[in-house]
């Protein structure tokens, strides 16, 4: 029998968010793969998982995948973790999953922590329909993508790093509109967790005067939601 590939979510900050099942799977796995073993080692130690983790990241995943498939075909169970959250969500994992499925190997993704869900729910923006964009292209294709997203009707979710946050908010103001409603969450589940809501311009102004630290999740209202909010504002002014 072939082994199974498990994608195991890990806490995005607060270690109390680890599930009992995730701990069990990691303890039982024959091989643990980690995006960065320096990050995963303290986490594994904290939960009493006395196993060495092997590196599996964007720079070696194509080369390493064939070897991992051999392990799985030999009947070994493999567990993959990323630095934080669910593997394959803006992290390594997709290529390995695809190759495992091509080889008729069973893949199991455990439910667990991921940053964009609490950020979306906390945002106060419509969450019945949304689109996850992850990280925007850094250079090539960035403006083209932003122009297309200007007409997106669903709530949009982005990941961003501290040193690019202000530039991204500035571009949102340019391509989506300064008054577009948005929400920015940082340090989710951690001591200094913060969510700032308002227009793109208001949020940019806030972070221009505050320390930029941690990973950021940006939620931006779709164009229809923004139009509806503007209508309600105008109606309120007329009634007043």
């Amino acid at each position: 029998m072939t082994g199974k590939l498990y994608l195991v979510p890990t806490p995005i900050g607060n270690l109390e968010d680890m599930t009992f099942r995730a701990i069990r799977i990691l303890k039982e796995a024959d091989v643990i793969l980690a995006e960065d073993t320096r990050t995963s080692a303290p986490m594994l130690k904290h939960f009493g998982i006395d196993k060495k983790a092997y590196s599996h990241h964007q720079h070696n995943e194509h080369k390493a995948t064939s070897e991992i498939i051999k392990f799985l075909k030999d009947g070994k169970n493999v567990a993959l973790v990323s630095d934080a959250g669910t593997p394959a969500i803006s992290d390594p994992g997709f290529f390995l999953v695809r190759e495992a499925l091509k080889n008729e190997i069973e893949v199991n993704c455990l439910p667990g922590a991921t940053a964009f869900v609490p950020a979306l729910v906390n945002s106060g923006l419509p969450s019945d329909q949304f689109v996850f964009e992850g990280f925007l292209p850094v250079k090539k294709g960035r403006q083209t993508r932003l122009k297309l997203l200007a007409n997106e009707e669903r709530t949009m979710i982005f990941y961003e790093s501290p040193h690019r946050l202000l530039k991204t908010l500035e571009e949102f103001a340019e391509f989506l509109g300064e008054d577009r409603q948005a929400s920015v969450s940082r340090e989710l589940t951690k001591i200094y967790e913060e969510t700032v809501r308002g227009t793109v311009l208001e949020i940019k102004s806030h972070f221009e005067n505050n320390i930029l630290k941690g990973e950021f999740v940006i939620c931006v209202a779709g164009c229809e939601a923004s139009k509806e909010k503007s209508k309600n504002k105008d109606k309120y002014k007329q009634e007043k």
Side-chain angles (χ1 to χ4, degrees), residues 12 114-125 127 155 157-159 183-186 188 193-195 197 216-219:
I12 59 175
T114 189
F116 77 81
V117 173
L120 172 62
V121 175
N122 279 335
S123 72
L125 300 174
S127 56
T155 300
I157 306 170
F158 305 87
Y159 284 167
S183 168
V184 174
S185 297
R186 70 177 191 92
L188 285 165
E193 177 177 335
E194 177 186 25
T195 295
R197 305 170 186 85
F216 290 80
V217 184
I218 309 172
C219 297

Side-chain angles (χ1 to χ4, degrees), residues 21-36:
R21 185 181 173 202
I23 295 171
R24 177 179 63 80
I25 292 297
L26 289 172
K27 285 183 176 180
E28 294 176 356
D30 297 297
V31 178
I32 296 176
L33 304 175
E35 183 181 1
D36 188 334

Side-chain angles (χ1 to χ4, degrees), residues 88-109:
I89 302 296
S90 292
D91 278 323
F94 163 72
F95 183 76
L96 177 57
V97 169
R98 186 178 66 181
E99 293 305 302
L101 294 174
K102 281 182 182 178
N103 284 273
E104 299 183 344
I105 292 166
E106 185 176 344
V107 178
N108 285 282
C109 181

Side-chain angles (χ1 to χ4, degrees), residues 63-233:
K63 183 178 180 181
T65 292
S66 59
E67 191 67 27
I68 297 164
I69 296 297
K70 288 180 184 177
F71 278 121
L72 290 160
K73 285 185 173 180
D74 287 341
K76 298 185 186 297
N77 292 325
V78 175
L80 172 66
V81 299
S82 59
D83 287 349
T86 302
I89 302 296
S90 292
D91 278 323
F94 163 72
F95 183 76
L96 177 57
V97 169
R98 186 178 66 181
E99 293 305 302
L101 294 174
K102 281 182 182 178
N103 284 273
E104 299 183 344
I105 292 166
E106 185 176 344
V107 178
N108 285 282
C109 181
L110 279 60
T114 189
F116 77 81
V117 173
L120 172 62
V121 175
N122 279 335
S123 72
L125 300 174
S127 56
D128 54 336
Q129 293 186 27
F130 60 89
V131 56
F132 176 71
E133 287 290 321
F135 289 96
L136 285 167
V138 177
K139 292 181 181 178
K140 188 178 180 181
R142 187 178 178 91
Q143 290 194 4
T144 302
R145 190 70 200 148
L146 286 166
K147 288 177 183 176
L148 288 171
L149 291 172
N151 296 314
E152 174 59 62
E153 296 182 357
R154 297 166 292 182
T155 300
M156 296 164 278
I157 306 170
F158 305 87
Y159 284 167
E160 194 51 277
S161 59
H163 67 276
R164 280 201 300 263
L165 178 70
L166 293 177
K167 177 189 174 184
T168 297
L169 290 172
E170 186 176 323
E171 290 173 327
F172 285 167
E174 178 184 351
F175 289 95
L176 309 183
E178 294 180 350
D179 293 330
R180 185 71 69 99
Q181 291 294 308
S183 168
V184 174
S185 297
R186 70 177 191 92
E187 298 285 82
L188 285 165
T189 78
K190 299 178 183 178
I191 294 173
Y192 299 107
E193 177 177 335
E194 177 186 25
T195 295
V196 181
R197 305 170 186 85
T199 66
V200 169
L201 205 60
E202 288 169 343
I203 295 172
K204 179 175 178 289
S205 177
H206 169 84
F207 283 109
E208 282 175 338
N209 300 298
N210 288 274
I211 296 172
L212 296 176
K213 185 179 180 181
E215 296 301 317
F216 290 80
V217 184
I218 309 172
C219 297
V220 182
C223 60
E224 286 302 313
S226 291
K227 287 177 185 177
E228 189 63 32
K229 192 170 183 70
S230 295
K231 285 180 184 178
N232 291 337
K233 277 185 178 180

